[in-house]
Amino acid sequence: MTTSPPRVRRRMGVEERKRQLTGVALELLGRHAPDDVSLDDIATAAGISRPLVYHYFPGKQSLYEAALRRAADDLVRRFEEPLTGPFGARLLRATGRFFDFVDEHGPGFAALMRGGASPAGDAAAGRGVVDGVRRAAYDEVLRHLGVAEEPPPRLRIVVRSWVSLAETTALTWLEDRAVPRAELELQLVHDFAALAAVSAAHDGEMAALLDRVLAAEPQDGPLADLVARLGGARG
């Protein structure tokens, strides 16, 4: 009778272990309030001892901030889109990648967006990380509109409002996923056009910008789809 040799647990490198711990932290922080997640919880979920967690992170706050930064860096990369093709298609692709992140990392996304609730009572670091994500999304939209240097005042309001709407839409969708994801992605592109159209009704500079965007929109594009839907609703 032969016996199999005992399984040897592979020793993780420093960066690999840190990545494991930040991933575990994001999962737990997505399901519980930060003050309700202890280092013991994180150590148990990671299958290691509490002292080993301290070997990689000096405390809960540093681990929490590292987890938020990891989620934020990943999310910011989802906004990146080449400056080719009509604006509506670009925004739809970026929105799709944003929802990819939300779909794949629901608990981590929720933890990131409520990052101001720091487990140590110091909310500044968490808010800074979240604000950085919002700013990256804001800057990327302006870049694709070709007005990153000097955006009109009303456009700044429109883009910030839309970024906030996208965040709220994703968080609400995570609660029960009652609306098909693809429908929400298209709806968010339509929401941007609607916000811009209302602003254009009050401002000539916004009207000119919207005319420029719509002039480059193909008949099968998401913004043309909105016009068609509105026309059908009136009919």
Side-chain angles (χ1 to χ4, degrees), residues 3 8 39 42 81-82 95 122 124 129 136 150 153 170 187-189 191 193 214 217:
T3 59
V8 178
L39 282 181
I42 295 171
E81 173 71 26
T95 302
D122 176 13
V129 171
E150 296 184 9
Q187 180 179 313
L188 277 172
V189 176
D191 286 335
L214 292 177
E217 183 73 7

Side-chain angles (χ1 to χ4, degrees), residues 131-216:
D131 288 345
V133 172
R134 292 170 180 149
R135 180 72 197 194
Y138 168 84
D139 288 343
E140 188 70 2
V141 173
L142 292 179
R143 187 173 74 90
H144 281 275
L145 290 170
V147 290
E149 297 300 323
E150 296 184 9
R154 290 178 187 268
L155 180 60
R156 295 200 302 267
I157 295 172
V158 166
V159 176
R160 286 198 171 99
S161 298
W162 183 80
V163 169
S164 178
L165 177 61
E167 175 187 324
T168 302
T169 298
L171 287 170
T172 304
W173 178 73
L174 280 174
E175 294 175 2
D176 55 19
R177 304 179 187 238
V179 179
R181 177 187 141 176
E183 291 183 16
L184 283 183
E185 292 172 10
L186 181 60
Q187 180 179 313
L188 277 172
V189 176
H190 290 173
D191 286 335
F192 183 88
L195 288 168
V198 171
S199 184
H202 296 267
D203 182 79
E205 192 172 14
M206 280 296 299
L209 186 148
L210 185 60
D211 285 344
R212 173 169 60 81
V213 169
L214 292 177

